[in-house]
């Protein structure tokens, strides 16, 4: 009877193989779930990157608009100052011309 193993030994071997298969199946299931989570995170990160790019573009637009709004009071002040200077020079020139006309 060389080469044959007793039934009890075969059953023990079969139980251990079944146990190992069950353990491996649990590990595979965990790995598959981890893979799904990683894929989900990858998609979320891609969406977040796109949203951040859009936000950056919007911030640049807002920055340009803010710069225009910040320059507007300075431009208005400059125009008012130029109008006052022009009026003052016109008044002085008018007074000088009037004085010259009266003297002549």
């Amino acid at each position: 009877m060389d080469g044959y193993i007793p039934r009890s030994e075969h059953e023990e071997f079969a139980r251990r193989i079944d146990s190992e298969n069950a353990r491996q199946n649990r590990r595979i299931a965990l790995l598959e779930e981890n893979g799904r989570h990683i894929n989900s995170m990858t998609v979320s990160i891609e969406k977040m990157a796109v949203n951040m790019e859009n936000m950056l573009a919007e911030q640049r637009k807002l920055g340009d608009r803010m710069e225009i709004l910040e320059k507007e009071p300075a431009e208005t002040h400059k125009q008012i100052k130029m109008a006052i200077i022009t009026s003052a020079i016109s008044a002085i020139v008018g007074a000088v011309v009037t004085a010259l006309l009266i003297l002549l």
Side-chain angles (χ1 to χ4, degrees):
M1 292 273 223
D2 282 344
Y4 292 108
I5 57 171
R7 186 159 224 24
S8 62
E9 192 174 325
H10 172 71
E11 288 173 354
E12 177 63 27
F13 177 76
R15 271 194 303 277
R16 287 185 181 190
I17 291 295
D18 288 342
S19 171
E20 180 65 15
N21 285 341
R23 187 181 73 80
Q24 294 294 345
N25 288 340
R26 280 193 305 273
R27 289 182 65 206
I28 290 170
L30 289 173
L31 288 172
E32 287 173 346
E33 187 166 339
N34 284 341
R36 281 191 294 273
H37 286 294
I38 289 170
N39 287 338
S40 175
M41 285 186 353
T42 301
V43 169
S44 296
I45 289 170
E46 286 180 24
K47 287 180 183 179
M48 188 171 64
V50 168
N51 286 337
M52 289 180 72
E53 284 179 30
N54 292 338
M55 285 174 39
L56 179 62
E58 189 63 31
Q59 282 181 341
R60 285 186 178 140
K61 288 179 193 174
L62 289 174
D64 293 342
R65 288 172 30 198
M66 280 292 278
E67 190 173 319
I68 291 168
L69 289 173
E70 287 173 350
K71 286 181 181 179
E72 188 174 324
E75 289 294 322
T76 304
H77 181 264
K78 185 177 178 181
Q79 289 174 351
I80 291 171
K81 189 168 85 173
M82 289 302 294
I84 291 171
I85 291 172
T86 303
S87 297
I89 291 174
S90 297
I92 292 171
V93 169
V96 169
V97 170
T98 304
L100 286 177
L101 287 175
I102 292 177
L103 291 177
L104 291 175

